[in-house]
Amino acid sequence: MRNAAVGVKWGVIISSMIVVIEAGLTYFFQGSFHFDLGWRWLTTLLFAIPEEVLFRGFLLQKLSSSLTFIKANLLASLLFVSIHLPIWLVQGGASLPKLIGNGATVFLVGYGLSLLVKRTNSLWSSTIVHTVYNLLIYLRAA
């Protein structure tokens, strides 16, 4: 239970920092920040929880048993990017610059989430951060 408390604490701290940065940058560049989630909170949970269980809870752990953590994290993060590729193609993000930008962003997010799991020894931290990050993506697109 201690790991859950640590994971939740760090998930909330890092998520709060991300929200403040995102809201500040959005307000600076756009002059306002709208916080209208509607039903989107549900979809972020529906995607973030299984992705975290699969990539950080299962895949990263399995890869770490036979590779160094850095190599396992690199591979898991690349695989994390690969599951997003069909979504980007369907949504019309098939231009090479867009694919490279989205791929780099998702790779860095996945790599960072794995570091967070390693540091806290809890999936709660990455699940909370992943959920908040997804919410911010929806808010940015709205």
Side-chain angles (χ1 to χ4, degrees):
M1 195 60 163
R2 180 186 173 287
N3 290 345
V6 169
V8 169
K9 178 182 90 172
W10 281 104
V12 169
I13 289 169
I14 292 172
S15 293
S16 298
M17 292 169 41
I18 292 169
V19 167
V20 168
I21 291 167
E22 176 73 19
L25 288 173
T26 302
Y27 187 80
F28 180 77
F29 287 109
Q30 297 178 2
S32 65
F33 182 78
H34 301 287
F35 197 77
D36 179 22
L37 294 176
W39 55 269
R40 293 179 177 126
W41 65 272
L42 181 59
T43 60
T44 61
L45 282 174
L46 291 176
F47 289 114
I49 292 172
E51 284 181 358
E52 288 308 308
V53 169
L54 175 64
F55 284 93
R56 259 61 71 187
F58 176 73
L59 188 60
L60 182 66
Q61 301 307 315
K62 287 293 183 189
L63 292 171
S64 293
S65 67
S66 59
L67 301 170
T68 65
F69 176 77
I70 293 173
K71 289 178 182 175
N73 195 0
L74 288 170
L75 185 54
S77 298
L78 285 171
L79 291 170
F80 188 58
V81 170
S82 73
I83 66 150
H84 291 85
L85 185 61
I87 297 165
W88 300 329
L89 294 174
V90 167
Q91 292 177 341
S95 72
L96 187 58
K98 215 171 195 183
L99 288 174
I100 291 171
N102 287 344
T105 300
V106 170
F107 177 84
L108 291 173
V109 168
Y111 196 88
L113 291 172
S114 294
L115 291 174
L116 190 57
V117 168
K118 181 173 175 56
R119 175 80 169 107
T120 62
N121 200 25
S122 171
L123 276 179
W124 283 108
S125 57
S126 63
T127 303
I128 292 167
V129 172
H130 190 158
T131 301
V132 169
Y133 184 79
N134 284 356
L135 285 171
L136 291 171
I137 290 171
Y138 283 121
L139 288 173
R140 195 179 314 130

